[in-house]
Amino acid sequence: MQSTKHLLSELICGEQSYQYYDLQKLGDERLAQLPKSLKILLENQLRHFDGETVNADIIVAFSRWLDNASSGEDLNFSPARVLMQDFTGVPAIVDLAAMRDAVAKRGGDVTAINPKIPVHLVIDHSVTVDQYGSPQAFGENVAKEMERNEERYRFLKWGQSAFDNFNVVPPGTGICHQVNLEYLAQVVWVSEDGKMAYPDTVLGTDSHTPMVNGLGVLGWGVGGIEAEAALLGQPYSMMLPDVVGFELSGKLLEGVTATDLVLSVVEILRREGVVGKFVEFFGDGLAELSVADRATIANMAPEYGATCGYFPVDEATLAYLKLTGRPSQTIALTEQYCKAQGLWRNPGDQPVFSHSVTLDLASVVPSLAGPSRPQDRVAVSDLGNAMRDYLATSERDLNETANIEEMKLNLHHGDVVIAAITSCTNTSNPDVMIAAGLVARKARERGLRVKPWVKTSLAPGSKVVSKYLTDSGLQDDLNSLGFDLVGYGCTTCIGNSGPLREPIAKAIDSKDMVVSALLSGNRNFDGRIHPQVKASWLASPPLVVAYALAGTTLLNLQEEAIATDSKGGEVFLKDLWPSTAEIHEIRKTVSGAMYREAYQDVYLGTKEWQAIAVEKSDTYQWQVDSSYIRCPSFFDKPQLAGEDFPVLRSARILGVFGDSITTDHISPAGKIATDSPAGHYLQSLGVAPNDFNSYGSRRGNHEVMSRGTFANTRLHNKLVDREGGYTLAPDGKTVLPIFKAAMKYLEEDKSLVIIAGKQYGSGSSRDWAAKGTLLLGVKAVIAESFERIHRSNLVGMGVMPIEFDKEIPRAMLDLQGDERVDIIPCEEQLKPKQTVRIVLSRSDGSRHEVLGRLRIDTQEELAYFRHGGILQYVLSQLNN
C-alpha cells in the first residue's frame, strides 16, 4: 500500500459535504468485529499513513489482532488535540520556552517550536480552600489564588500570545475534564478547512483525561513531555493494546449512585489487572446509564489501571450533546459519521475482546473507598467496622480523645474533619449533585447541623452546577450546612484542602489522632488530601453531606442514626436520602441554555485575569530572581544517539520502596514543609513560609521540584527507619533528606538507582515524577511492575525503567543500602524489552544476580532514549 487516499468516502450531513477514511473500503469484513476503540485507532492510522511512521504493516496488524485479540505491535498515534491543566501545563510551556531558547542558540527559527494541533489549558489546580462556610469564601479564595499565582498566570498569558493554537481557559471557570466534557469535546472533529470528518481524540497532561471517553471521545492521560512532543507533531508511541470488554447488564437499584458503581468497577478491574490495556464497556446495561454516569466511570480509568475506559456513541451521547447546547450540525454529524463508520452502539453489540468481565448493575450497593486506595471499596454498612479495623492495625485506642478547649469538645479517632464536594468525577453529574442538595434540604428541614469540627466545601467543576443548584434553591440548603461555594477547581481532590481550624489542627497533633476526610473525588492516596488526615474516603456527594452531619466514620449509616433533630427525634440516612423521582424532577430544570451561558465567554476571565499584562515576544524573558518560573537545564547538553546499551556499573541505591508507590509519593503536589530542602531553598530566596504555595504551583521551577522529589511525608524508604523523604548518605550510616543525599552522590560522581515493588508510579500523570528522578542522578528504576504513564515518562526523560523477572520478588533480595548495582545487557545492542542482568555486590564480598527486562517497549521509545529524552529527540529532528 503506497497511499490510503483510495479509502476516502463522502458523507453528506445537511448542506455540508465531508470526506472521511472509510474502514469498510479496506475490504476486510472481520474488521467490523474490532472493539470500537480500536476502530478509532485504525482510522487514525489510515488518516496519518505516510509509509514510515505509519505503514501498511500496522494496518494489517489490526486484522491480525482479531486472531488472538492481542498484538503487542508498535503503533504511532496522532491525536486531534491536547488538553492541559495548569499544574502540568506550566512546566510544559516552560519546556517549550526553553526549547525555543535552544533553537535560538543554534541559529534556528524559534517559531518552529509551536503547537501543530489545538491545545487547551484549563487553569483549575491552583485554588485552595483557605476560606469556607460563608458567602464570602469564594471571593476570598479567588483573590488569594490570584495573589499567589500572578507570576504563573502572567507566564501562561505570555504563552497564549507567543504560541499559535494555544488557548488558556482562565481560573474560576471549571475543571479541565468537565470543561472538556461539557464544551471542548466534539465527538466527531472537522478539519480546519471544513472538508474532513474524523473521530475526536485527545491526549491530556492529567491522568483523568479518559473522563471524556464517557462521551465516546477516545483519549487518555500522558506525561507532559509526551504531550509536548505530540503537540509539536511527534506521534505518540504505543503498542496496539489488549482491550478488555466490560459487560454491564441490568439496572442500578433505587438509591444507588454512579459513584457507587464506579467504586465497584475500580475494585473489579484492579483485581483483574488492566494496566496498559484499553477497557471498553458494552452490554444492554449501557442503555440505563446517562453520559454523566458513564463519564464518572471513565474518569477513574487511572484508578482501575487502564489506559482508558471507553463508552461507544449511542442515543445517550446525542442526548448529552443536545443537553449541553452543542450545535445541531455537530449532533447530526456525530450520528451520521458514527453509524457510517461502525462506531455506533446497537443493542446486542458484542465485539471481539481480549477477554471480558461482567457486572450486574443491580448488584451494586452504596459504597465508599479507602482509607488510602481507590480500589479498596467498602459498603456503607461496613464502614464503621472497616475504620475500627484500620485503627486496630494502627494500634490506636478507640476511646482515646483529644480535647479542643476553645470549642469545649473532644475529638475522637475516626472523626470527620473534612467533608468536600469536589472533583470533576462527580460534580459533572447533575443527579448526584442534586441528590446532595436534597439531602441538605431534608437535613435543614429537620434542624440538623454539620458537626463543628468538620471543614465543609463545595467546589464544582463548572459554573453550570452553580446555575442549576441556585435556580432550584438547593444552593441555599447546602449553604445552610456550610457547603458554600469555595471555588471552581480541583481543591481537596488534589490536596488543596487548605488548613484546618487551628484548635482542631492542634488537637490532632497533640495525640496524633487518626481522623478522616470524606470527599467526592477520585484519589485518596496516603498523605494526599491533607497532611494531618490519615484516613480519606471517596464517596458520592450526598454521602459526603451525610457524613458531615454524622461527624464520624465509626457508624453504620444504614442502621444507626446520623443525628438527633430539633425535636429530639433520631434521623437516619433513609430519612434524608432522595428518591430517583425527586432527583429527576429537579433535573428537568437543567438546560442547554445554562451550558451556553456558562461557556459563551470561556476565554475572557475575571477582571483580575484581564488586568494581567504581558509583552508579546517569541522567546520568554526569564527572570533570574523568580521562584516560580526558571529555565530548566534539560536542553543544556544535547546527548548523542548511541546504539549500544548504556551499561551501569557500581551504582548506589537511593531508595528501596514497597508496592503502590504513587507519583504523589515521588513528586508531591501539596504543601511545602518549612523544614525541607525545598522550603530551605525558597527561604533563601526571601520567600516566607506563608507564601510557599504548593509543589504543584511551583513546577515551573526545577530547583524547587528536584528538592521536592521523594519528599512526601508519608513515604517509606526501607533503607531507613524513618517516615518521609529520607535515605542513607554515601557513608551508609548518616540519614539525610533524599535530595541532600543525592547531591552528595553526584559530587562523588556516583550513579543511582531506585528499587521498588509492584505498581510503581501509579496515580497522577505528573512528569515531574520522572524529571525529578533524573535531576537526582537516578539512571534506572528497577521495579516489580510499573504503571503505564510513569513508565513512559521515565523513558521520555532518559531514565531506564527495568522490571524484575516475575519469579524474583523484590523482598527476596534483602537489600541493606550498601550494595553496588551493575546493570548489564544480555545482548550488547540496545533493543526494546531486552533482558538484562542485575548484579548486586554486597559489602561482605558476596554477589547476587537476577534477571530483569528493560521496559523501553517500542522502537520510537528507543529513539527517544538514545537522544536522552523525547524532547531532545524532537529538537534533533528540527536540526536535521
Side-chain angles (χ1 to χ4, degrees):
M1 185 187 296
Q2 301 299 314
S3 169
T4 54
K5 298 296 183 185
H6 64 288
L7 302 176
L8 286 169
S9 287
E10 184 182 28
L11 181 70
I12 298 175
C13 180
E15 297 181 359
Q16 302 260 15
S17 174
Y18 306 92
Q19 287 189 312
Y20 72 101
Y21 282 90
D22 189 345
L23 301 185
Q24 294 184 49
K25 284 191 172 181
L26 285 168
D28 186 343
E29 294 182 358
R30 294 202 314 155
L31 294 175
Q33 303 173 57
L34 281 172
K36 291 175 174 55
S37 54
L38 290 195
K39 288 182 181 179
I40 294 173
L41 288 185
L42 176 55
E43 186 281 340
N44 192 271
Q45 300 303 288
L46 299 180
R47 188 161 32 90
H48 292 280
F49 184 92
D50 60 4
E52 295 180 7
T53 58
V54 180
N55 57 38
D57 290 341
I58 191 61
I59 309 299
V60 175
F62 281 86
S63 182
R64 287 200 301 267
W65 187 94
L66 288 163
D67 296 332
N68 301 304
S70 185
S71 168
E73 298 197 42
D74 291 3
L75 177 75
N76 287 315
F77 169 70
S78 297
R81 56 194 175 92
V82 167
L83 179 70
M84 295 180 170
Q85 38 90 341
D86 53 302
F87 269 20
T88 52
V90 166
I93 304 306
V94 166
D95 286 347
L96 295 183
M99 291 176 76
R100 280 195 168 182
D101 282 1
V103 171
K105 288 176 183 176
R106 299 171 195 180
D109 177 8
V110 297
T111 61
I113 303 297
N114 193 85
K116 304 295 191 293
I117 56 177
V119 179
H120 297 92
L121 187 152
V122 182
I123 299 176
D124 60 10
H125 271 53
S126 295
V127 62
T128 297
V129 189
D130 290 298
Q131 302 297 325
Y132 68 99
S134 76
Q136 294 77 39
F138 172 68
E140 292 177 7
N141 289 333
V142 168
K144 193 67 176 175
E145 176 190 0
M146 296 302 293
E147 178 188 330
R148 286 172 175 151
N149 296 285
E150 190 199 7
E151 184 180 348
R152 296 172 63 238
Y153 293 170
R154 182 179 294 110
F155 175 69
L156 289 177
K157 289 194 83 170
W158 167 81
Q160 189 168 233
S161 69
F163 297 105
D164 297 328
N165 263 342
F166 177 59
N167 297 289
V168 178
V169 177
T173 304
I175 299 173
C176 64
H177 308 302
Q178 195 160 336
V179 173
N180 191 22
L181 185 75
E182 296 176 353
Y183 177 72
L184 296 174
Q186 297 182 25
V187 186
V188 176
W189 201 260
V190 176
S191 61
E192 198 171 343
D193 61 8
K195 295 180 180 179
M196 180 76 68
Y198 49 93
D200 184 4
T201 55
V202 60
L203 293 181
T205 61
D206 188 282
S207 57
H208 293 104
T209 300
M211 181 171 177
V212 78
N213 296 170
L215 188 61
V217 175
L218 185 62
W220 56 88
V222 296
I225 46 180
E226 293 173 307
E228 292 162 44
L231 65 85
L232 290 172
Q234 181 69 28
Y236 173 79
S237 177
M238 60 185 292
M239 297 170 68
L240 186 56
D242 288 2
V243 183
V244 176
F246 198 118
E247 183 177 15
L248 296 172
S249 62
K251 182 178 181 179
L252 292 174
L253 299 179
E254 179 76 18
V256 177
T257 68
T259 316
D260 305 318
L261 172 56
V262 71
L263 296 180
S264 297
V265 170
V266 171
E267 178 187 42
I268 291 167
L269 289 176
R270 265 296 169 188
R271 189 169 58 236
E272 188 74 19
V274 293
V275 173
K277 301 176 183 178
F278 282 14
V279 170
E280 184 167 312
F281 293 88
F282 72 105
D284 293 341
L286 266 64
E288 303 296 333
L289 300 178
S290 67
V291 163
D293 294 335
R294 298 173 185 185
T296 296
I297 298 167
N299 175 280
M300 292 188 71
E303 279 65 55
Y304 45 81
T307 301
C308 60
Y310 184 76
F311 286 84
V313 176
D314 60 9
E315 293 290 349
T317 314
L318 303 184
Y320 186 82
L321 292 174
K322 183 177 180 180
L323 170 69
T324 51
R326 262 54 172 230
S328 57
Q329 181 69 12
T330 298
I331 299 171
L333 178 60
T334 295
E335 180 175 9
Q336 285 189 232
Y337 178 88
C338 291
K339 286 181 175 178
Q341 195 71 293
L343 299 176
W344 185 267
R345 185 188 74 83
N346 294 302
D349 275 358
Q350 187 161 349
V352 172
F353 292 112
S354 305
H355 67 280
S356 299
V357 294
T358 62
L359 175 65
D360 180 356
L361 295 176
S363 69
V364 177
V365 298
S367 300
L368 308 92
S372 60
R373 298 196 308 174
Q375 63 261 45
D376 296 331
R377 186 188 63 83
V378 178
V380 169
S381 57
D382 294 332
L383 180 61
N385 288 332
M387 190 65 201
R388 289 185 186 90
D389 290 343
Y390 178 65
L391 290 170
T393 59
S394 304
E395 299 182 348
R396 302 306 171 102
D397 179 359
L398 269 177
N399 298 315
E400 184 178 28
T401 62
N403 181 250
I404 310 176
E405 288 186 21
E406 297 92 329
M407 301 173 69
K408 296 181 180 179
L409 53 83
N410 289 323
L411 193 69
H412 301 77
H413 290 302
D415 279 353
V416 176
V417 296
I418 292 175
I421 300 175
T422 180
S423 173
C424 52
T425 311
N426 286 290
T427 69
S428 59
N429 192 330
D431 282 1
V432 294
M433 294 303 291
I434 291 168
L438 288 170
V439 169
R441 175 169 291 176
K442 296 183 180 191
R444 184 185 187 186
E445 290 168 353
R446 297 289 293 268
L448 302 188
R449 292 288 180 267
V450 167
K451 295 298 185 287
W453 53 84
V454 182
K455 180 175 184 175
T456 50
S457 61
L458 168 62
S462 83
K463 293 180 179 179
V464 177
V465 180
S466 289
K467 179 64 174 172
Y468 64 70
L469 288 179
T470 299
D471 286 1
S472 63
L474 292 176
Q475 188 62 61
D476 285 341
D477 299 307
L478 288 161
N479 291 349
S480 73
L481 298 183
F483 286 97
D484 297 80
L485 176 70
V486 297
Y488 296 102
C490 304
T491 62
T492 302
C493 189
I494 59 163
N496 286 356
S497 49
L500 299 174
R501 290 174 61 184
E502 189 173 351
I504 296 168
K506 285 182 177 178
I508 294 170
D509 289 343
S510 70
K511 296 284 188 71
D512 193 23
M513 301 299 289
V514 178
V515 292
S516 292
L518 265 289
L519 66 148
S520 61
N522 45 45
R523 288 210 175 117
N524 54 349
F525 299 139
D526 199 12
R528 176 183 176 94
I529 303 306
H530 191 283
Q532 291 179 292
V533 174
K534 291 185 171 66
S536 297
W537 303 92
L538 306 180
S540 64
L543 277 180
V544 170
V545 177
Y547 279 100
L549 294 165
T552 179
T553 50
L554 293 174
L555 285 179
N556 172 1
L557 286 196
Q558 298 286 41
E559 297 182 4
E560 298 178 67
I562 290 177
T564 303
D565 66 15
S566 56
K567 296 180 180 179
E570 290 186 326
V571 180
F572 292 85
L573 185 62
K574 63 183 179 182
D575 301 324
L576 305 179
W577 205 262
S579 67
T580 302
E582 289 175 295
I583 294 169
H584 287 180
E585 184 62 31
I586 292 179
R587 195 180 67 186
K588 291 177 184 176
T589 65
V590 182
S591 68
M594 291 180 175
Y595 289 89
R596 284 190 291 270
E597 180 184 345
Y599 290 109
Q600 64 181 351
D601 293 316
V602 68
Y603 301 113
L604 185 62
T606 63
K607 63 180 185 297
E608 292 85 0
W609 171 261
Q610 295 173 43
I612 298 175
V614 294
E615 290 186 16
K616 185 175 175 60
S617 60
D618 288 338
T619 56
Y620 185 68
Q621 305 305 307
W622 307 97
Q623 305 300 311
V624 294
D625 59 346
S626 173
S627 63
Y628 276 103
I629 308 295
R630 290 286 182 101
C631 185
S633 58
F634 306 126
F635 310 106
D636 291 348
K637 298 178 181 178
Q639 180 171 318
L640 296 176
E643 294 294 324
D644 293 342
F645 186 97
V647 176
L648 206 57
R649 299 281 187 185
S650 296
R652 299 295 298 273
I653 302 173
L654 186 62
V656 177
F657 305 115
D659 296 339
S660 300
I661 294 297
T662 70
T663 51
D664 281 82
H665 287 115
I666 304 167
S667 183
K671 182 179 178 181
I672 300 172
T674 303
D675 187 21
S676 68
H680 296 158
Y681 165 77
L682 288 172
Q683 289 173 84
S684 75
L685 298 180
V687 180
N690 286 342
D691 297 322
F692 280 0
N693 212 333
S694 63
Y695 279 113
S697 67
R698 292 192 179 272
R699 288 182 185 159
N701 185 343
H702 60 284
E703 298 287 1
V704 173
M705 298 310 297
S706 59
R707 287 164 172 80
T709 304
F710 297 110
N712 190 300
T713 57
R714 300 287 171 78
L715 186 67
H716 296 276
N717 183 357
K718 297 180 183 298
L719 297 182
V720 295
D721 187 21
R722 182 173 180 179
E723 188 177 47
Y726 297 93
T727 194
L728 294 175
D731 62 12
K733 299 176 183 178
T734 308
V735 176
L736 291 175
I738 285 178
F739 173 78
K740 288 187 176 181
M743 294 304 100
K744 287 187 177 293
Y745 280 116
L746 284 176
E747 288 171 7
E748 298 180 9
D749 199 25
K750 301 289 187 185
S751 295
L752 296 170
V753 299
I754 294 289
I755 295 180
K758 299 180 180 69
Q759 297 174 6
Y760 183 80
S762 57
S764 300
S765 64
R766 61 193 62 161
D767 55 351
W768 260 110
K771 288 178 175 177
T773 298
L774 173 72
L775 291 180
L776 292 185
V778 174
K779 302 298 185 184
V781 178
I782 311 169
E784 292 182 59
S785 66
F786 290 91
E787 290 290 282
R788 175 185 62 87
I789 299 177
H790 186 60
R791 180 206 65 80
S792 59
N793 277 342
L794 289 171
V795 176
M797 289 308 299
V799 178
M800 285 189 289
I802 296 172
E803 278 186 1
F804 284 114
D805 185 280
K806 293 188 184 302
E807 303 300 318
I808 307 292
R810 166 196 45 79
M812 180 178 145
L813 300 176
D814 190 27
L815 298 168
Q816 303 300 311
D818 59 353
E819 295 85 357
R820 270 58 174 175
V821 181
D822 296 344
I823 300 176
I824 306 166
C826 293
E827 295 181 62
E828 190 172 304
Q829 187 177 2
L830 185 62
K831 296 179 180 179
K833 297 183 179 180
Q834 70 188 107
T835 302
V836 299
R837 295 162 49 215
I838 304 166
V839 182
L840 302 169
S841 301
R842 306 183 190 277
S843 57
D844 62 5
S846 63
R847 287 160 54 93
H848 192 154
E849 182 173 324
V850 297
L851 294 179
R853 181 165 62 105
L854 180 66
R855 283 300 313 278
I856 296 175
D857 289 351
T858 70
Q859 291 293 340
E860 283 293 315
E861 287 186 344
L862 203 63
Y864 305 154
F865 181 79
R866 282 176 175 151
H867 284 81
I870 188 169
L871 299 182
Q872 288 85 344
Y873 173 80
V874 172
L875 275 175
S876 74
Q877 299 303 105
L878 291 176
N879 292 334
N880 290 341

